[in-house]
Amino acid sequence: PVRLWTTPRRITEFSSAKQPREGDRIVYVAGSFDMFHVGHAQLLKDARELGTFLFVGIHDDLAVSAAKGAHYPVMTLNERVLNVCACKWVDEVIIGAPRRVTSDLIK
């Protein structure tokens, strides 16, 4: 199998490096994004259309396993992060996002 080494440089190659600006309408969605497919892309496109800056939370492997079962996720967290970062509608990714939105996340 191919081993994908994730480094900060590799992640920035896939990310937009865009920062939210004053007046941006920020939208947040979260999920596992395992086996990234067209449905995920459509969700992200639709979410981006609701605002001007899209944050995407990606749940860590333990949270995905707890929610979906022992054989999930299929892809590693690093692979899932790179797939979501590569999506043109995504501005920023929160790695290991909580399954519930908290006041700390909103701040």
Side-chain angles (χ1 to χ4, degrees):
V2 174
R3 176 85 181 185
L4 180 63
W5 297 100
T6 305
T7 64
R9 182 184 59 79
R10 176 66 63 198
I11 291 173
T12 59
E13 287 174 355
F14 282 78
S15 70
S16 72
K18 182 180 172 186
Q19 296 292 318
R21 294 177 292 199
E22 188 71 32
D24 271 342
R25 183 170 186 189
I26 298 172
V27 177
Y28 176 75
V29 296
S32 63
F33 298 98
D34 199 17
M35 302 301 293
F36 195 86
H37 55 77
V38 69
H40 292 127
Q42 187 66 52
L43 167 75
L44 297 174
K45 180 179 186 256
D46 292 346
R48 179 54 191 270
E49 289 173 355
L50 297 174
T52 56
F53 193 93
L54 180 60
F55 273 108
V56 179
I58 302 176
H59 304 306
D60 65 24
D61 293 347
L62 289 175
V64 176
S65 291
K68 295 188 176 185
H71 299 292
Y72 295 94
V74 174
M75 300 172 72
T76 68
L77 177 60
N78 292 335
E79 291 167 333
R80 294 182 288 123
V81 166
L82 293 177
N83 277 316
V84 172
C85 283
C87 185
K88 68 181 181 178
W89 298 290
V90 175
D91 295 305
E92 185 66 80
V93 169
I94 299 173
I95 301 169
R99 291 197 44 85
R100 294 182 189 263
V101 176
T102 62
S103 59
D104 287 340
L105 181 62
I106 294 171
K107 294 176 188 177

